[in-house]
Amino acid sequence: MGHALLAVNLEHPEIVQTMHLGYIAAGSRLITTNSFGASRARLERLGLGDRAEPLLSNAGKVARDARE
């Protein structure tokens, strides 16, 4: 489960962005990235260690794009 929640930042960023936009449309003034608990150590355990940098970078990009 943890793998899918973090990998979606790369594999289906449109899903994450839709969620961000929904929160913004509902009046949220603050959104966070989809990277909770995404330390390099955890990503290694999930088999995503080699994708840590692009995964975390894209999580931030998706949130920034939604904000704009």
Side-chain angles (χ1 to χ4, degrees), residues 5 8-9 12-21 34 59 62-63:
L5 291 175
V8 74
N9 288 304
H12 297 288
E14 69 280 0
I15 293 172
V16 180
Q17 186 167 35
T18 298
M19 293 172 60
H20 287 320
L21 293 172
N34 178 37
V62 171

Side-chain angles (χ1 to χ4, degrees), residues 25-41:
S28 291
R29 294 177 42 187
L30 176 71
I31 57 173
T32 60
T33 63
N34 178 37
S35 59
F36 182 77
S39 67
R40 184 170 292 278

Side-chain angles (χ1 to χ4, degrees), residues 2-9 34-36 38 42-43 46 48 55:
H3 177 277
L5 291 175
L6 295 170
V8 74
N9 288 304
N34 178 37
S35 59
F36 182 77
R42 179 172 184 223
L43 292 171
L46 295 173
L48 294 170
L55 190 151

